[in-house]
Amino acid sequence: RSTPRVELEDLAASRFPEKGRCSVTLRLADIVEALAGTGNAALHGDPELHIERLSPIETAGPQDLSFVSHPRYLGKLAESAAACVIVPPQMRAAASSRGACIVTDDPYHYFARVTQFWKRTHVPKPPAQIHSTAVIDPSASLAPGVSVGAFCAIGAGAVIGQGARLAEHCVIGPHLVSRRTMASGSRSSNSVQS
C-alpha cells in the first residue's frame, strides 16, 4: 500500500483559507463517509460537528481536525483544543475523554487521505481551457469542461470525456476514449481508458 504524503503547504492552505482558498466547513459524518473503507475508521462523537480547518495537534483550535499517530504524543492530545482528533485504537479512550475522535488503524495515512479530500472540496478547480499550443485533430471530440495543457497532441477520432484534464505534453493517440485526468508527459494510444 502506498501512503499519500501530507504536504505541509496543503495543510497550511487548509489552515489559512484567506490565502485564495474557499472557506467551507464539513461535517465529521461527511468526512468519514467520503473516506469509507480507509483504515477501518470509526467516528466516536458528534457526527454533526462542523470542521473548518485541518491543523497540527499543537495548534489545532475548536473547529479543527488533527491527528496523533503515536502514544508518545498523549500529552499533546490531552492539551489540544481540536474539535476532533484521528487516533490509533490504543489511544481511543484518551481521545474520547477530550472530545470527538476518529479511530483508525493508521492515523497518518487517514489524515493524509483527509487532506486530499479536503483539498478536492475546498480548492476551486481552474476553469476549463485549451492552451494555444495544443494540437487537436478536427475529428477529435472534446466534451464540455475539458482542459488541455500546453503542447498536448490529440489524435484523430479521440474522445475526451467531460471534466478531463490533460496536463502539458500529453499525447492522446487516434481513437482513444479517455475520461480521466492525465499527468504531464503522459502518452495513451489505441485503447480504452476509464
Side-chain angles (χ1 to χ4, degrees), residues 4 6 17 30 33 39 42 50 55 58 63 67 76 91 93 96-98 109 115 117 138 160 167 173 192:
V6 177
D30 295 331
E33 182 180 319
H50 286 262
S55 299
E58 299 87 356
Q63 282 79 43
F67 81 104
K76 292 182 189 248
M91 296 176 70
S96 293
S97 70
R98 53 152 308 284
H109 179 255
T115 302
F117 171 67
I160 310 299
V192 177

Side-chain angles (χ1 to χ4, degrees), residues 8-172:
L8 291 179
E9 64 189 43
D10 291 342
L11 184 57
S14 68
R15 179 79 170 123
F16 303 105
E18 66 275 5
K19 294 188 178 189
R21 305 289 188 203
C22 295
S23 180
V24 176
T25 64
L26 289 175
R27 292 178 325 126
L28 276 178
D30 295 331
I31 294 169
V32 173
E33 182 180 319
L35 300 177
T38 302
N40 299 319
L43 173 60
H44 300 276
D46 182 4
E48 297 301 316
L49 190 62
H50 286 262
I51 300 298
E52 292 182 3
R53 290 172 295 276
L54 307 179
S55 299
I57 193 72
E58 299 87 356
T59 60
Q63 282 79 43
D64 297 358
L65 176 63
S66 191
F67 81 104
V68 175
S69 60
H70 195 277
R72 70 176 167 233
Y73 297 112
L74 274 171
K76 292 182 189 248
L77 174 64
E79 296 169 1
S80 179
C84 181
V85 181
I86 302 165
V87 297
Q90 67 267 29
M91 296 176 70
R92 177 184 172 195
S96 293
S97 70
R98 53 152 308 284
C101 64
I102 299 171
V103 179
T104 181
D105 296 336
D106 186 348
Y108 180 84
H109 179 255
Y110 195 87
F111 190 74
R113 296 292 308 274
V114 169
T115 302
Q116 292 171 341
F117 171 67
W118 195 269
K119 186 174 181 180
R120 283 192 310 271
T121 60
H122 286 71
V123 178
K125 289 184 178 178
Q129 64 180 8
I130 297 174
H131 196 274
S132 62
T133 60
V135 178
I136 303 170
D137 188 274
S139 67
S141 174
L142 277 64
V146 170
S147 286
V148 181
F151 304 105
C152 283
I154 301 176
V159 178
I160 310 299
Q162 185 170 357
R165 299 196 179 276
L166 307 178
E168 65 276 357
H169 300 281
C170 288
V171 177
I172 307 298

